[in-house]
Amino acid sequence: MARRLPAAGVGVLVALTTACTGSPARSDGATSPRTSSSTSTASTTAPTGRPATAPARSLGRVIGAHPEAEIAVARSPVGTKGAVRVVGDAQPLVARSTIKVPLALAVVRAGHGQQMGPDIDRALTASDNEAAGRLWADLGGGHRAATAVEVQLERGRDRRTGVPPRVTVPGYSPFGQSTRRLTDQTRFTAALPCLAGSTSITQAMGRVADGQRWGLGGIDGARYKGGWGPTPGGYVVRQLGIVTGAKGATAVTLQVRAGNHGEGIAVADELVEALRSHRGDLPTGHCP
């Protein structure tokens, strides 16, 4: 399923980029030729109203403290209609292992969730690349698998992200090379709990392995998936997740492009600490 993507970028405050990978031979990859390479335009416009302003100001301080990195954070109420609020310069970046979430959902929707359950669990809790490769093969590989994943993205209101059907960078999986906008990823994450077949996916996202509990892993009860890996422009870490509060749930995504993995996850931890201090001000929602 080929996608025609608009060249417009996303206007925001400052920038950060994220992605996921293990060793090059076992990880998700670089950019996808099927998505826009346009970058976002810097903006000084912040969301209005107290619920958005308090988190935005705290996030802005973290971003301002790291001028050497590209940083962005987005959030939206869980559901299928909420607006996405972004702080940072949210440039399109490689998805890395965050794409394993719609990949796993595609397997469940194909009716193979039970037989592929162990691989779904390993792909989401430990970001196991070999397990994710078996999920891709279960969908038929190539164009069949790419289309199946894109269908799930569309179900989650992400209508622009294209999934390469074949390896474009040797040593990297085709699906991990998808390029994804943070706003699109946030819309998908907000819709995810509301999609039929997603229960086992979100449950696995609540059992992330030790060593990968950075960023959103610092919030009790968060369900999340990270991605990370090198790119020509710097090392990217990326994360999507669902944070539950007393009044509902919030989809949160973040991306950081820094010098190395350690620097990236350290910034991610700072961003989430800023969000956690304003958890009651996050936009919350429910599935319809």
Side-chain angles (χ1 to χ4, degrees):
M1 177 184 296
R3 305 286 180 91
R4 293 192 184 94
L5 302 181
V10 179
V12 285
L13 298 177
V14 188
L16 176 81
T17 324
T18 60
C20 98
T21 166
S23 63
R26 291 168 48 87
S27 63
D28 299 332
T31 58
S32 164
R34 294 164 25 117
T35 56
S36 171
S37 60
S38 64
T39 59
S40 58
T41 303
S43 169
T44 57
T45 302
T48 58
R50 183 178 177 276
T53 299
R57 287 178 177 172
S58 291
L59 291 169
R61 284 193 289 271
V62 174
I63 292 171
H66 298 280
E68 74 289 351
E70 298 174 8
I71 305 169
V73 183
R75 61 243 192 256
S76 180
V78 160
T80 57
K81 296 181 180 179
V84 176
R85 298 168 179 170
V86 182
V87 179
D89 183 13
Q91 301 186 38
L93 294 175
V94 64
R96 298 289 184 178
S97 285
T98 60
I99 204 69
K100 291 172 182 173
V101 174
L103 170 61
L105 183 58
V107 172
V108 172
R109 293 291 290 172
H112 306 160
Q114 184 171 0
Q115 69 190 59
M116 300 301 293
D119 282 327
I120 289 174
D121 193 76
R122 283 191 288 268
L124 297 178
T125 65
S127 205
D128 187 303
N129 293 312
E130 292 181 357
R134 289 189 289 271
L135 299 180
W136 180 259
D138 180 74
L139 293 171
H143 286 283
R144 289 179 60 187
T147 298
V149 177
E150 288 176 350
V151 166
Q152 302 312 310
L153 292 170
E154 289 182 355
R155 291 180 68 220
R157 300 193 300 152
D158 178 355
R159 301 178 177 88
R160 296 190 294 185
T161 300
V163 179
R166 306 292 180 194
V167 171
T168 59
V169 179
Y172 294 88
S173 68
F175 47 88
Q177 296 162 24
S178 307
T179 297
R180 203 172 188 189
R181 291 171 174 81
L182 196 66
T183 48
D184 292 332
Q185 180 167 284
T186 308
R187 291 187 188 95
F188 173 83
T189 305
L192 178 63
C194 311
L195 301 179
S198 67
T199 300
S200 62
I201 306 302
T202 56
Q203 287 177 344
M205 291 166 59
R207 301 191 302 271
V208 174
D210 292 342
Q212 296 183 19
R213 297 179 183 174
W214 42 268
L216 292 170
I219 297 180
D220 290 342
R223 292 160 287 166
Y224 57 99
K225 180 72 190 78
W228 56 92
T231 72
Y235 198 97
V236 170
V237 300
R238 188 167 193 147
Q239 211 169 42
L240 61 83
I242 301 163
V243 176
T244 302
K247 298 180 180 179
T250 307
V252 179
T253 64
L254 63 85
Q255 58 184 39
V256 180
R257 182 153 55 185
N260 55 54
H261 183 263
E263 291 175 6
I265 63 173
V267 173
D269 286 342
E270 291 182 40
L271 293 169
V272 171
E273 179 61 30
L275 279 178
R276 186 168 54 187
S277 65
H278 298 289
R279 190 169 178 176
D281 294 326
L282 296 178
T284 58
H286 303 270
C287 293

